[in-house]
């Protein structure tokens, strides 16, 4: 095998470097063949190229027309893309659905013809981006070529002195992230994800969204960032689950948003639902339950850890109460804690907020209401677009949540609406939106269709499409 590989590379390296367009060169290309390799079946040749790796495979395409045609075989480049750190299914989803920007392209029957050799080489050249997922509690940031976010900080909604104007807070926030990442703002594009806020379809909510959006863009352009994409968290979470339409449910720090999205666009006209239960309430409720049992603990961090390690959502709350559900967990520095029914009572407040003294709809009721509105709005010929529910946010990682939601939705909705409903667990846990942004930032066409440059921002030509 090694002699064959050496021979291929020799062929590639010995090739004289005549001008590609010259007539002599073209004549030689037309006459050339695979030579000694012609006897090998094509699959074997593709396998050899696969072993050579993308760089050397690309070099062999310089040997002659026949090698060039062999090297451009999609199977070869698909296998190279499959070896990347991002899952192949996500790369394929992004390149087929997101490469032309927002609103996303929809292909009812045929997926467009893609050349994977050019997708591979374009992806290798994309500049990448700094990604900031500005959650309502934490912000996660990191370089798009990293496997996961590299740091966390307070989010811009709560950053700095909240009395100071938004513009000054944003500047302080972005400057802090750039300094923690140790990069200069002018060196790469940025993708900023923003939690759903001012979610109504009223004129004043629109004006507030526009104001925030303009403040983010103008702050970043003042800092000389070359290209900016500000996009909402809910849409990114949907992309991370390889969907462009569906209901994105983010259980955030303070509240939970239920966002209908069709072809990548938030359907504010249909209605975004918000409930007042978030991660903070769950931690607070578990603390109360532990205090009622006279359990002593030093900090809220201990309660949060126990919530993350021991809590789950019961499939049937009343049946669970009759079971022995005792389990223990050792919190470093604090010792071992034993929880029993608190383990599923904590998550139960998502469905029965009154248990925690909160007057708001249960999560299942809010999602069912949103589905009802989507169904009634008749926005699309395909009436199944809203039947996939994608969960995101740390709290959505509670085991059993997706199954319980599916069960409750089937109980609440008429069979015609309920049939086909699927609740998807957060594909990347609390970092789901960050991974959605990563999909965009590594696209072969990035930053083009997704970002605005300073000049475009001044002219605001495509501005409204990006929110
Ligand atoms: N496995 C888990 N089970 C339960 N809760 C979890 C788990 N993992 C993380 N959490 C909780 O999720 C919360 C943080 O969630 P997240 O990072 O999604 O918040 P955020 O991004 O600030 O919120 P938002 O979505 O509003 O922007 C914390 O309270 C944490 O305890």
């Amino acid at each position: 095998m090694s002699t064959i590989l050496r021979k291929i590379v020799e062929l590639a390296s010995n090739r004289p470097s005549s001008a590609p367009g010259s007539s002599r060169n073209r004549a030689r290309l037309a006459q050339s063949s695979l030579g000694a390799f012609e006897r090998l079946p094509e699959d074997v040749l593709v396998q050899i190229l696969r072993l050579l790796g993308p760089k050397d495979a690309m070099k062999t395409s310089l040997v002659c027309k026949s090698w060039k045609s062999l090297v451009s075989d999609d199977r070869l480049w698909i296998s190279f893309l499959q070896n990347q750190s991002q899952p192949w299914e996500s790369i394929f989803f992004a390149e087929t659905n997101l490469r032309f920007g927002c609103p996303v392209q929809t292909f009812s029957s045929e997926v467009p013809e893609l050349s994977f050799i050019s997708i591979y080489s374009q992806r290798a050249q994309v500049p990448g981006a700094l990604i900031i997922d500005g959650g309502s509690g934490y912000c996660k940031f990191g370089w798009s070529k990293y496997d996961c976010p590299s740091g966390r900080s307070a989010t811009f909604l709560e950053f700095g002195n909240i009395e100071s104007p938004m513009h000054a807070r944003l500047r302080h926030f972005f400057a802090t992230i750039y300094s923690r990442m140790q990069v200069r703002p002018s060196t790469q594009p940025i993708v900023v994800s923003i939690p759903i806020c001012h979610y109504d379809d009223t004129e004043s909510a629109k004006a507030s969204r526009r104001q925030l959006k303009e403040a983010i863009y103008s702050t970043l352009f003042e800092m000389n960032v070359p290209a900016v994409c500000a996009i909402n968290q809910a849409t990114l979470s949907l992309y991370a689950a390889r969907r462009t339409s569906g209901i994105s449910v983010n259980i955030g720090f303070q509240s939970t948003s239920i966002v209908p999205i069709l072809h990548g666009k938030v359907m504010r006209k249909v209605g975004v639902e918000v409930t007042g239960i978030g991660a903070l309430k769950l931690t607070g409720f578990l603390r109360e339950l532990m205090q009622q049992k006279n359990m002593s603990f030093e900090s809220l961090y201990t309660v949060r850890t126990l919530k993350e390690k021991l809590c789950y959502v019961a499939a049937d709350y009343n049946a669970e109460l009759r079971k022995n559900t005792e389990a223990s967990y050792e919190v470093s520095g604090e010792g071992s804690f034993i929880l029993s029914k608190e383990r599923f009572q904590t998550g139960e407040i998502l469905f029965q907020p009154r248990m925690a003294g909160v007057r708001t709809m249960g999560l299942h009721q809010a999602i069912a209401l949103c589905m009802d509105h989507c169904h009634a709005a008749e926005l699309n010929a395909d009436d199944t677009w809203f039947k996939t529910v994608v969960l995101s946010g740390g709290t959505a990682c509670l085991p059993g949540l997706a199954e319980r939601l599916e069960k409750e939705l089937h109980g609440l909705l008429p069979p015609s609406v309920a049939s086909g409903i699927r609740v998807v667990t957060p594909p990347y846990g609390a970092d789901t939106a960050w991974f959605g942004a990563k999909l965009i930032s590594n696209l072969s066409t990035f930053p083009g269709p997704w970002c605005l440059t300073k000049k475009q921002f001044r002219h605001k030509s495509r501005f409204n499409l990006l929110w």
Side-chain angles (χ1 to χ4, degrees), residues 135-138 140 233 250 252-253 279 304 307-308 393-395 397 430:
S136 65
Y138 301 101
K140 296 117 193 163
Q233 229 180 27
N250 179 256
F253 204 59
R304 211 182 84 182
K307 177 188 74 173
E308 291 172 15
T395 307
C397 299

Side-chain angles (χ1 to χ4, degrees), residues 417-435:
V417 183
S419 92
I421 284 178
R422 206 174 136 231
V423 181
V424 180
T425 52
Y428 299 93
D431 300 333
T432 298
W434 192 90
F435 277 91

Side-chain angles (χ1 to χ4, degrees), residues 126-140:
V126 291
L130 172 62
I131 300 174
I132 302 183
D133 170 20
S136 65
Y138 301 101
C139 136
K140 296 117 193 163

Side-chain angles (χ1 to χ4, degrees), residues 40-317:
L40 292 178
E42 202 180 304
D43 282 357
V44 175
L45 289 167
V46 171
Q47 183 59 21
I48 293 171
L49 290 169
R50 210 171 268 154
L51 292 170
L52 280 175
K55 256 195 194 152
D56 287 333
M58 200 62 103
K59 274 192 208 159
T60 56
S61 74
L62 302 174
V63 173
C64 64
K65 217 173 181 176
S66 310
W67 276 106
K68 188 175 176 185
S69 132
L70 187 68
V71 169
S72 57
D73 189 317
D74 275 341
R75 287 171 302 170
L76 179 66
W77 297 94
I78 287 174
S79 73
F80 289 145
L81 286 164
Q82 282 168 337
N83 284 337
Q84 308 246 305
S85 63
Q86 270 183 307
W88 157 248
E89 293 76 14
S90 298
I91 296 177
F92 185 74
F93 161 79
E95 294 292 347
T96 46
N97 291 278
L98 309 178
R99 63 200 322 255
F100 301 112
C102 191
V104 295
Q105 300 278 313
T106 49
F107 308 104
S108 47
S109 52
E110 274 178 43
V111 173
E113 187 111 339
L114 299 174
S115 153
F116 287 95
I117 183 169
S118 53
I119 286 180
Y120 185 95
S121 56
Q122 284 164 5
R123 286 178 74 92
Q125 287 164 36
V126 291
L130 172 62
I131 300 174
I132 302 183
D133 170 20
S136 65
Y138 301 101
C139 136
K140 296 117 193 163
F141 58 86
W143 175 232
S144 61
K145 311 241 171 181
Y146 289 169
D147 285 344
C148 58
S150 53
R152 277 160 214 277
S153 86
T155 182
F156 60 81
L157 298 174
E158 292 174 353
F159 206 78
N161 178 359
I162 56 165
E163 297 298 318
S164 56
M166 181 53 111
H167 193 272
R169 278 162 57 199
L170 283 171
R171 198 175 169 100
H172 182 190
F173 169 75
F174 288 125
T176 307
I177 305 280
Y178 275 112
S179 121
R180 283 182 63 181
M181 288 288 294
Q182 299 187 322
V183 287
R184 271 181 294 126
S186 58
T187 53
Q188 70 254 307
I190 189 170
V191 178
V192 185
S193 104
I194 303 152
I196 287 279
C197 46
H198 315 295
Y199 43 81
D200 293 334
D201 198 35
T202 59
E203 284 311 311
S204 75
K206 275 185 202 161
S208 304
R209 284 202 297 272
R210 196 173 310 118
Q211 243 175 9
L212 176 60
K213 170 170 71 171
E214 289 193 351
I216 290 173
Y217 278 96
S218 65
T219 307
L220 288 164
F221 287 130
E222 272 169 29
M223 294 169 78
N224 289 324
V225 178
V228 179
C229 167
I231 181 166
N232 74 71
Q233 229 180 27
T235 306
L236 290 177
S237 298
L238 210 60
Y239 292 164
R242 302 197 287 270
R243 294 279 189 295
T244 57
S245 299
I247 296 182
S248 181
V249 174
N250 179 256
I251 309 183
F253 204 59
Q254 318 254 15
S255 61
T256 295
S257 55
I258 294 113
V259 187
I261 295 171
L262 180 58
H263 306 320
K265 289 205 78 179
V266 174
M267 293 292 105
R268 288 199 171 79
K269 279 192 167 47
V270 173
V272 172
E273 305 293 336
V274 176
T275 76
I277 296 271
L280 215 52
K281 276 274 173 346
L282 268 74
T283 309
F285 187 61
L286 179 58
R287 178 178 59 182
E288 271 176 40
L289 295 175
M290 287 171 69
Q291 282 166 341
Q292 281 166 19
K293 277 181 86 177
N294 291 325
M295 294 171 86
S296 64
F297 45 87
E298 279 192 3
S299 70
L300 211 52
Y301 174 77
T302 302
V303 182
R304 211 182 84 182
T305 307
L306 293 172
K307 177 188 74 173
E308 291 172 15
K309 301 296 179 192
L310 288 180
C311 290
Y312 64 94
V313 173
D316 178 332
Y317 180 66

Side-chain angles (χ1 to χ4, degrees), residues 37-38 55 144 165 197 277 318 339 370 392 423 455:
F37 295 100
E38 205 130 76
K55 256 195 194 152
S144 61
C197 46
I277 296 271
N318 290 323
L339 298 183
C370 181
S392 61
V423 181
K455 198 167 158 198

